[in-house]
Amino acid sequence: MEGITRILRQFVTATILISIFLLIFNFVLLGVLVFKNNNPNPSPEGVVKQVTQGLNKQGDNYRLDEHTANLLQQNKTWAMLVTDDGHVEWDYYLPNDVPRSYNLVEVAKFSRYYLEEYPVYVWEHKNGIVVLGYPKNSHWKYQIDSRSNWVESLPQRLLLLLLFNVVLALLISVVIGSRLIKRIRPLAAGIHSIAREEEVQMDSKGIFGDLARSINSASIILQKKTAALKSRDEARSNWIAGISHDIRTPLSMILGYASEMEDNSELPKEQRYEAGIIRRQGEKLRSLINDLNLVSMLEYEMQPLQWKSIRLSVLARQVVADFLNNGLDDRYDIELNLADEAVKINGDEKLLLRAINNLVRNSVRHNPQGCKIVLETFLSKDSSQYYFIVRDNGRGIPQEQLKKITELPYSSKRKQTVQQGHGGLGLPMVERIMQAHHGR
C-alpha cells in the first residue's frame, strides 16, 4: 500500500502548508485592516502638537494660524489653553458643557482619558497645556499596562503560538487523513484486485458508496467477460485440436497410399512423380496442422510444460548437427559462438529445441541465395539474464514489419499475411514458447 502512504504524506504536508499560509495571511490581513484603516485622519497626538505649535500670543490675545484652524474644523475638534492657575485663557469652539477652570486633580483626570465624556488629548504649551477635544463617542481611550519582560518575551510567545498551530494542524490533518485513507484503502485494494482479474465485492456504505458500487459493477462485468473469453478460447482451442485430430487419420491414409504409389516400380514414372508430390504436400499439411495445434495450446496456456534443467548450448549444438546431417546446402555457413556453456535454465527441452529449430529454419527459408547463420549464447553483465541469439547476414525484413512477424496470421493485429513469406507460424510459435518460459 505504498500509494496509500504516499497520499497520506502528501495530504498532511499540504494541510500544514495551507494552515501556515492561512495563519500568516490572516495576520497580515488583520494588520492591514486594524492599523491601516484605524484612523485615516491625522493622529490626535499629531493634531494637538500642531495646535500647540500654531498657537501664538500676540499682546494680550492668542492667535491660531489658518492652516491649524482648518485642520481643527476638518476633524470636528475643539481646543483650549489651560494656564498654570487652572483657568482657560484661550479656546476654540469650546462646548458649553465643558468647564472654564480646573484644579490640579481635575487636570490629572482628564489629561489621560475623557473630559465630560469628550475624548481629549493634551500637549505642553509654554503658557500652560493645550487640550484638544473630539466629539463624544468618536474615540475609545484605554490604557494598556504591561511589564517590560512580558513585552520582551512577546516574539517568543508568538513563535510558540505559531508552532502550536502547526502541531494542531498536523494532528488534525493526520486524524482527517487517517479516516480518509481508511475509507480509500478498500477502494485501492478493490482496484488492485480487479487488475489481477480477481472478483471484488466491496461494502457500498459510506461517502465512497457510489464509487464502491461502480467498482463492484466493473468487477462483475470483467468477471463475466473474462469467463466468456476463457470459454471462447477453450472452445476455439478444442475446436482446433478436434479438427487436427480428425484430419490426421485421413491424412495418414493419404500419405501411406502416396508413399506406396511413389515406391511402386510397376506404376508409370509420371504417376510415381505425382504420388511424390502428394506425399510431400501432405507432409507439409501435417506439419502445419501440428504447428497450428501447438501454437493454439501455447496461446491459451493449455500446453503442459515438462520442466527440467537444460543447457541451451547443448540444444544449439543439437540443432546445428541436425541441419548438417540432413544435408544443409553449402550456401549456408553455420557458426557456433557459445559463452558460459555451463549455465543452465529451467524449461521444456522439446519446446526450446523447436524454437531454436524454427529460428534457424527461418534464416534458411528466407535467404535462398545463402547466408551465414550464427548461434550465440552469453550471460548479461549482472548475470541476471541469459541470451540466446540466432542471427544471419541475409536480406532481413523491412523495419515496419518487425512488430508484426510474431503475430498470428489473420489475427486482429495482422489481418493479412505479411508478404515475402513471413506469414507462417514459425516466429509466432517462437514468441509463445518464450512467453511460456517467462522470457521474450
Side-chain angles (χ1 to χ4, degrees):
M1 293 292 182
E2 294 182 0
I4 300 296
T5 305
R6 186 167 59 254
I7 291 174
L8 180 58
R9 185 166 58 249
Q10 292 177 353
F11 177 80
V12 171
T13 303
T15 304
I16 294 176
L17 292 177
I18 292 173
S19 300
I20 295 175
F21 170 77
L22 289 177
L23 187 63
I24 297 175
F25 176 77
N26 278 279
F27 273 125
V28 174
L29 184 62
L30 180 63
V32 171
L33 293 177
V34 171
F35 297 105
K36 183 177 180 181
N37 299 324
N38 183 33
N39 191 1
N41 298 321
S43 66
E45 290 81 5
V47 175
V48 70
K49 181 179 179 181
Q50 188 169 346
V51 170
T52 303
Q53 295 173 351
L55 182 63
N56 298 305
K57 187 173 184 181
Q58 297 180 352
D60 294 334
N61 298 320
Y62 286 88
R63 182 178 179 278
L64 186 65
D65 62 73
E66 185 177 357
H67 174 72
T68 306
N70 292 333
L71 182 62
L72 292 177
Q73 292 178 4
Q74 291 175 3
N75 288 271
K76 299 179 180 180
T77 57
W78 52 265
M80 65 179 179
L81 175 64
V82 180
T83 59
D84 294 338
D85 58 3
H87 295 285
V88 176
E89 189 168 336
W90 169 88
D91 68 87
Y92 183 85
Y93 287 106
L94 186 65
N96 295 327
D97 56 347
V98 175
R100 266 56 178 175
S101 63
Y102 303 91
N103 58 36
L104 183 61
V105 175
E106 292 173 337
V107 172
K109 287 182 178 180
F110 73 71
S111 62
R112 301 190 60 182
Y113 296 108
Y114 298 88
L115 175 59
E116 301 296 335
E117 298 184 1
Y118 292 97
V120 295
Y121 300 87
V122 300
W123 200 267
E124 183 181 2
H125 191 271
K126 60 183 178 180
N127 296 326
I129 60 171
V130 173
V131 181
L132 180 70
Y134 280 81
K136 295 180 181 180
N137 300 321
S138 62
H139 289 70
W140 290 353
K141 298 185 66 178
Y142 294 97
Q143 179 181 1
I144 300 177
D145 186 13
S146 301
R147 293 187 300 175
S148 59
N149 59 351
W150 186 90
V151 176
E152 291 173 354
S153 65
L154 188 60
Q156 292 85 349
R157 294 173 184 272
L158 292 176
L159 180 60
L160 290 176
L161 177 63
L162 178 62
L163 293 177
F164 174 77
N165 279 273
V166 171
V167 173
L168 183 61
L170 175 62
L171 292 176
I172 293 175
S173 63
V174 169
V175 172
I176 296 176
S178 300
R179 292 175 62 87
L180 183 63
I181 293 303
K182 184 178 180 181
R183 297 179 182 275
I184 293 178
R185 185 177 286 110
L187 300 178
I191 294 174
H192 289 310
S193 298
I194 289 179
R196 294 190 297 267
E197 297 184 357
E198 299 175 357
E199 185 177 358
V200 177
Q201 186 61 42
M202 302 178 57
D203 186 6
S204 58
K205 298 179 181 179
I207 59 175
F208 296 113
D210 293 341
L211 186 56
R213 285 190 291 271
S214 297
I215 293 176
N216 292 339
S217 300
S219 174
I220 294 173
I221 293 173
L222 287 176
Q223 289 294 317
K224 289 181 178 178
K225 288 187 176 181
T226 300
L229 288 174
K230 184 177 181 181
S231 177
R232 186 189 67 181
D233 292 342
E234 290 180 354
R236 181 182 300 170
S237 179
N238 292 334
W239 180 80
I240 292 175
I243 291 295
S244 301
H245 180 269
D246 293 341
I247 291 177
R248 284 194 184 97
T249 300
L251 186 58
S252 298
M253 296 178 64
I254 293 173
L255 290 173
Y257 286 126
S259 297
E260 291 181 5
M261 292 175 65
E262 186 180 14
D263 296 336
N264 190 351
S265 58
E266 297 179 358
L267 293 176
K269 183 178 180 180
E270 182 178 355
Q271 292 184 358
R272 282 185 289 153
Y273 175 75
E274 293 174 349
I277 294 176
I278 295 174
R279 178 187 58 79
R280 288 191 294 274
Q281 296 301 320
E283 289 175 350
K284 288 184 178 180
L285 180 59
R286 181 171 59 185
S287 177
L288 179 61
I289 292 173
N290 291 335
D291 289 350
L292 180 62
N293 191 40
L294 178 58
V295 169
S296 175
M297 299 286 283
L298 291 170
E299 179 76 10
Y300 304 120
E301 300 180 355
M302 300 176 66
Q303 171 67 28
L305 300 184
Q306 305 298 324
W307 297 97
K308 60 184 295 187
S309 183
I310 303 169
R311 285 194 298 160
L312 288 182
S313 56
V314 174
L315 300 186
R317 286 194 174 90
Q318 182 177 341
V319 170
V320 171
D322 290 341
F323 272 92
L324 294 177
N325 293 335
N326 290 330
L328 182 64
D329 196 288
D330 293 337
R331 292 172 297 175
Y332 302 96
D333 180 21
I334 296 186
E335 177 182 326
L336 288 171
N337 185 9
L338 307 177
D340 305 304
E341 292 193 50
V343 175
K344 295 182 178 181
I345 67 167
N346 289 324
D348 188 302
E349 183 176 3
K350 290 184 179 180
L351 289 179
L352 291 173
L353 195 63
R354 182 65 178 275
I356 300 171
N357 190 289
N358 283 3
L359 291 173
V360 177
R361 191 177 300 279
N362 187 72
S363 294
V364 173
R365 181 184 301 118
H366 300 299
N367 294 292
Q369 77 284 358
C371 65
K372 180 180 180 180
I373 304 172
V374 179
L375 281 73
E376 185 177 3
T377 62
F378 62 90
L379 273 172
S380 61
K381 292 183 179 180
D382 58 358
S383 300
S384 62
Q385 293 180 317
Y386 191 67
Y387 291 87
F388 189 100
I389 297 177
V390 178
R391 54 185 170 89
D392 61 62
N393 61 351
R395 64 190 179 96
I397 182 173
Q399 184 72 25
E400 64 273 9
Q401 296 180 5
L402 285 177
K403 294 182 179 180
K404 302 177 182 178
I405 59 176
T406 58
E407 298 294 339
L408 290 173
Y410 303 104
S411 68
S412 59
K413 297 181 180 179
R414 187 176 167 187
K415 296 181 180 179
Q416 296 181 353
T417 55
V418 183
Q419 301 299 321
Q420 302 174 342
H422 294 286
L425 294 172
L427 293 180
M429 182 185 298
V430 174
E431 169 76 10
R432 281 145 186 82
I433 291 175
M434 289 301 99
Q435 291 176 355
H437 286 80
H438 309 292
R440 64 180 181 90

